[in-house]
Amino acid sequence: MQALRTVQLGEADLVAAGKAMLELMRELYPLCRSITGAGVRDTLTAVSRVAPLAITEVPTGTEVFDWVVPQEWTISDAYLEHESGQRFAEFQASNLHVVGYSVPTDLRMPLEQLSDRIHTLPQHPDWIPFRTSYYQEDWGFCMSACERLAMPSGEYRAVIRSRLAAGSLTLGEFVHRGRSEDEVLVFAHTCHPSLCNDNLSGIVVAAHLASFLRRLDTWFTYRFVFAPATIGSISWMALNEARLSRVRHGLVLAMLGDAGPLHYHRSRTGAASIDRAAAVVLKASYPDAASIDFSPWGFDERQFNSPGIRLPVGRLNRALTGEYPQEHTSADSLELMSEAALAESWRACLRIFEVLEGDRRYLNLSPKGEPQLGRRGLYRATGGYYDGVPSRQMGLLWILNQSDGETSLLDIAERSGIEFGLLAQCARDLEVAGLLAALDDRAA
Amino acid sequence: MQALRTVQLGEADLVAAGKAMLELMRELYPLCRSITGAGVRDTLTAVSRVAPLAITEVPTGTEVFDWVVPQEWTISDAYLEHESGQRFAEFQASNLHVVGYSVPTDLRMPLEQLSDRIHTLPQHPDWIPFRTSYYQEDWGFCMSACERLAMPSGEYRAVIRSRLAAGSLTLGEFVHRGRSEDEVLVFAHTCHPSLCNDNLSGIVVAAHLASFLRRLDTWFTYRFVFAPATIGSISWMALNEARLSRVRHGLVLAMLGDAGPLHYHRSRTGAASIDRAAAVVLKASYPDAASIDFSPWGFDERQFNSPGIRLPVGRLNRALTGEYPQEHTSADSLELMSEAALAESWRACLRIFEVLEGDRRYLNLSPKGEPQLGRRGLYRATGGYYDGVPSRQMGLLWILNQSDGETSLLDIAERSGIEFGLLAQCARDLEVAGLLAALDDRAA
Amino acid sequence: MQALRTVQLGEADLVAAGKAMLELMRELYPLCRSITGAGVRDTLTAVSRVAPLAITEVPTGTEVFDWVVPQEWTISDAYLEHESGQRFAEFQASNLHVVGYSVPTDLRMPLEQLSDRIHTLPQHPDWIPFRTSYYQEDWGFCMSACERLAMPSGEYRAVIRSRLAAGSLTLGEFVHRGRSEDEVLVFAHTCHPSLCNDNLSGIVVAAHLASFLRRLDTWFTYRFVFAPATIGSISWMALNEARLSRVRHGLVLAMLGDAGPLHYHRSRTGAASIDRAAAVVLKASYPDAASIDFSPWGFDERQFNSPGIRLPVGRLNRALTGEYPQEHTSADSLELMSEAALAESWRACLRIFEVLEGDRRYLNLSPKGEPQLGRRGLYRATGGYYDGVPSRQMGLLWILNQSDGETSLLDIAERSGIEFGLLAQCARDLEVAGLLAALDDRAA
């Protein structure tokens, strides 16, 4: 098996990955996911075709840290029916039409009374908002402002054919074993219904990262966790608390299919290796990308970064929460997604993993002055040129100058600005030339 | 008694404080203050009606560190009288007309010879400059350039009815006892005659801070010192050297009544708690304010920050020394002052004190993942909204995320940008909910 | 002997230094320098008239760290002769016409075949490029693109009357003994033929620094090394390895005669005293100058900064490598040079040395509050002025405030922005006044 070398990914690999991810997303789009229930299970079954998942069912009532796993929610139908027989907010038309975790309901009331139960988005009259009430018994409907305006006055019957009952919360895991027991954790939340960017995009990118890494010889063990937001990551941590210390780096994946630039959200300290790895990748390969400080108003990285857990987990996104209007609305649909964006997000993750894999300390074995690269074929023969020094030449010189046994390749990438994959190749060339020795035992 | 909560200050409190401060300033304005003498004593007597001061008289000749307390200066009259009988630069019209600490004089001389003794400000022909000669025996007059031009040639009699004799230098102190013996030092210099911003403004703000804190239950003991610049702060330090180590934070107050933005001058290290407290207050509440690096060409904070004393004392101003033309001239008058500016300066000081009082380390008692805020009424029930997260919600999340026992509320305020008073309220709410424990015994 | 005080350098000193440096450069310009050989020896002989050099000959074949001293190169003539007898690329016209270290050659070939051996600069058709092949046996010619175009087709004879034979590499050293055995190393590379900025400028500035320092009483010992680039600095280090630890600061000099602003290249850590000294000098005296991060694609400082050597050596330049088109071409000629630029470069070096000499820690002997400067004649008598504080007054106050025994004069220069020479004078004045004591024994 070979090692992870993103430089070897060609255009065809990207096209194939993008196509496969969008295809999987199309299949998953109609399912009604929530924090528990059949929608999540069906999603994980589909993902298992790409990367076989181990499934864990966490029973209702299980205490997970400060939380308790809630009842399982099952829904078959929901609608508002006017006395004329005309129906509105039909669940069969969109699973966003019903407030998530709505209790079973079959009530008659006039429109005025019903109005408090109906959520709309007046600023985007054609869009249906996404609303939930997981931890407080409630029910309600979401609909477009246009549809709401079309509702005639009179009596309505509000029907929600749901069930809240003891069941379980479903987690899926895929593990790619590396040579080390140290782990890289990749997390994608699974709890949103027909919403693409948030978070079918994270799910399909994670699935195809897993599928790609399977074929490779890696240093780290890569653990992919698919679980509902908040209660899911908390459940997973509670069930696996004893082995959390194996997680050396972590990445939450979400909102990776839109056309915007990449955004990396730093871990709590902002100084973790994953933060630095993401920064050098974004700087070298994605000039319009940005790193953003940790915020406790984040996704599941806020659970991993809580003070009693303290795992160095960051998050990779394209669109930013609170800054793209389609978020948590029916407009977060397949039209917002592109194969190219998904594929580039996937490659960015691989590039970050490549930094984690290759971040080693080396020792310059000829540390007094520069070694004579020329007689080793590592330096151009005719001197005197000054019109641009090749990056590879700079990479060799930076590594030799910095490799005092304390400085790692990631340190050198940060200081030199040279793309990490190229730098890692320079280090391997210097090792072959007998000028450099790695100070760990990661070599394949 | 209640604690300091600036959020409870209403518009009426500010109006009342501003009015009271300007009223006191009007009363103090005519007094001829210098580094010693009756003007200072009368000033401290008036301040005592607001906050009763303990008075210390330091006798002439007392050695205070490298200095010696000078003779006391008394002045009753001064003028220049032309042979025609016309008088100029009359002390009775403005106490700025005579150079501070001028020796007794009664001499006749022609105008040409007198000219070297007369200070004017040609660039502001209507203004009288303020000049002193404390530590070298001398005499002189200050006058507007206009008045100087109006002086006819001929013989003049220069009369200064002053006295320099053994006496004392006068210090005033007010102490508000808190629960701790650790002190916050507030210093205002008292040595300038009829000049408002520098430093009647500092005197009246300090007096009304003292008067306000008296009614409150505070952690720190607040010590207010009113003393002449340089020799006054040096005398106070020399007399109190053994107890200086109780001073944990300090603030010099001056130039707080003009219309300009607030400026905080950092202490010598720039990293003291008072520096950080001032910075979060200015950032959260005064967008046009700025913090400025320490300079040894400062006010009395340069004495407190000398290398053999090293107290963490900063300075709060509006106008900047050397950058407002009225400084040390007759134009630094009541017209330059506003009740609103004084009141806002006063509130800014209270906000800084509030940070010092509330800067505590807490421990998250449910540190594994986020605690379930919803069932404790600390989280809105319906999920899915992304259009703006309330500051209070963010405050709760930041405190929970950061409270690992090492991070203080001031650290969290710096990182989150959330106004400190709100953050402190969030911490109290979390304490009530059993999710947070303070790691000190400051609680009232 | 007196100490180094650059404030005492007058305009006449600068004019004289500039004139002397350009004169020496004119004498050295025609010599054909390479990494070995007669050109270098003749250069060092000429420099010895300014500052007598100790010469070391390192025999061909000597192992110096990872390198081996190459054969010595001697060249007497070279040209391309057309079958018509017309000659091109004549060595006698310019020593740039032959590729450095070309092997002896006497071959006939048609122009087409010869073309691969001819280097030109099409973007600057009148300039001859400078090319070398030190470590791979080769030969070739360099010529202007215009001359190349004028070459008729047909048969050519390529003649290079050179010799590569056992000999030696020549190093020159001048040492000015200071009171301490700690050394400041100044290095100028000597290996370029008729090129002025790179590096006759470095050679003549170094020579005249040596000549100037000879007359002074210095703390540090100043060691000037003249040697070819790369192999020369490596040879010098290998021969002197046991005493390298005496080098406390170092400066590589090159490209100092052009009209551009000064550029200082930091040492490997970027935090060495030489880096900080250069930064305060450039900031205080050369507003258009800049400091630049270390790069392993540097001049000989990259050898001194290699991980097995780690000497804190920076580099001072005007023009930047890769950013001035004349570099390594015949256009790097005497016309590019100016006496004024050379003189100012020379003064900048002296200012940097002045910082190194004067960077001492002092102790304020009157550290409680400010000492009374007035009675010591160190403060103006009449108070109240605020229109500008003299730099000298600020210097006195900064030194007193900061001199806690841990803060050095360089620290204070960085923080205050005050020119170092003035600050050092303030410190001496405070010492005389009994207010300050130096914490070392550097005093003359």
Side-chain angles (χ1 to χ4, degrees), chain A residues 65-68 119 123 130-136 138 198 230 234 237 241 267-270 294-297 299 302-303 305-310 321-322 327-328, chain B residues 364 366-376 379-390 393-394 396-407 415 435:
Chain A
F65 296 149
D66 188 60
W67 301 62
V68 176
H119 303 270
Q123 69 273 41
F130 165 53
R131 295 287 178 269
T132 64
S133 185
Y134 298 136
Y135 300 104
Q136 183 167 314
D138 202 357
D198 181 10
T230 308
I234 288 172
M237 293 191 298
E241 190 174 1
S267 74
R268 187 171 180 266
T269 66
F294 175 79
S295 162
W297 181 253
F299 282 25
R302 74 203 233 200
Q303 308 306 334
N305 282 282
S306 59
I309 302 291
R310 295 199 197 210
T321 286
E327 185 172 25
H328 283 196
Chain B
N364 178 341
S366 180
K368 296 175 182 178
E370 239 165 60
Q372 197 181 0
L373 297 177
R375 67 170 145 91
R376 297 172 173 97
Y379 209 84
R380 50 187 175 187
T382 305
Y385 294 94
Y386 269 102
D387 43 354
V389 190
Q393 195 75 81
M394 287 303 284
L396 296 169
L397 292 176
W398 268 115
I399 292 169
L400 287 169
N401 179 269
Q402 294 288 303
S403 291
D404 49 13
E406 290 171 24
T407 310
R415 182 158 186 184
L435 290 171

Side-chain angles (χ1 to χ4, degrees), chain B residues 79-319:
Chain B
Y79 52 83
L80 294 171
E81 191 178 78
H82 185 247
E83 56 191 285
S84 67
Q86 193 181 357
R87 289 189 176 181
F88 297 89
E90 292 182 90
F91 177 74
Q92 302 303 338
S94 167
N95 55 35
L96 299 179
H97 273 139
V98 64
V99 167
Y101 260 64
S102 282
V103 295
T105 305
D106 193 343
L107 292 169
R108 285 168 201 277
M109 61 185 77
L111 180 55
E112 307 83 72
Q113 191 182 334
L114 189 59
S115 283
D116 291 349
R117 299 287 184 168
I118 297 176
H119 303 269
T120 63
L121 282 175
Q123 68 274 40
H124 295 291
D126 292 327
W127 298 359
I128 311 166
F130 166 53
R131 296 286 177 269
T132 63
S133 185
Y134 297 136
Y135 299 104
Q136 183 166 315
E137 290 213 347
D138 203 357
W139 64 270
F141 286 84
C142 302
M143 56 203 295
S144 73
C146 290
E147 190 181 7
R148 172 67 188 80
L149 281 174
M151 289 174 78
S153 59
E155 281 282 307
Y156 279 83
R157 184 179 165 206
V159 175
I160 299 176
R161 304 218 185 285
S162 65
R163 195 164 59 102
L164 277 163
S168 61
L169 177 149
T170 313
L171 308 173
E173 269 183 273
F174 173 84
V175 176
H176 165 66
R177 301 261 164 231
R179 276 172 283 121
S180 165
E181 296 204 327
D182 288 343
E183 296 187 1
V184 176
L185 172 68
V186 181
F187 183 93
H189 63 270
T190 55
C191 51
H192 288 52
S194 293
L195 298 169
C196 281
N197 213 19
D198 180 11
N199 188 28
L200 287 177
S201 72
I203 293 169
V204 303
V205 169
H208 280 272
L209 287 169
S211 146
F212 185 79
L213 289 174
R214 285 180 85 179
R215 299 172 291 169
L216 299 181
D217 171 29
T218 63
W219 171 253
F220 286 108
T221 289
Y222 288 78
R223 182 175 301 273
F224 293 81
V225 176
F226 299 84
T230 309
I231 185 70
S233 52
I234 288 173
S235 296
W236 180 83
M237 292 191 299
L239 294 177
N240 295 281
E241 190 174 1
R243 68 174 195 213
L244 290 182
S245 64
R246 290 189 198 163
V247 176
R248 302 290 298 275
H249 316 284
L251 199 55
V252 169
L253 298 183
M255 305 194 295
L256 289 165
D258 65 274
L262 288 164
H263 291 101
Y264 174 77
H265 297 258
R266 295 187 193 98
S267 73
R268 187 171 179 266
T269 66
S273 291
I274 184 78
D275 301 327
R276 298 172 57 211
V280 300
V281 165
L282 296 190
K283 188 177 174 194
S285 303
Y286 304 98
D288 55 351
S291 285
I292 293 172
D293 273 337
F294 175 79
S295 162
W297 182 253
F299 282 25
D300 288 275
E301 76 279 3
R302 74 202 233 201
Q303 308 306 334
F304 300 119
N305 282 283
S306 59
I309 302 292
R310 296 200 196 209
L311 292 182
V313 177
R315 171 166 41 115
L316 193 68
N317 290 155
R318 287 184 180 275

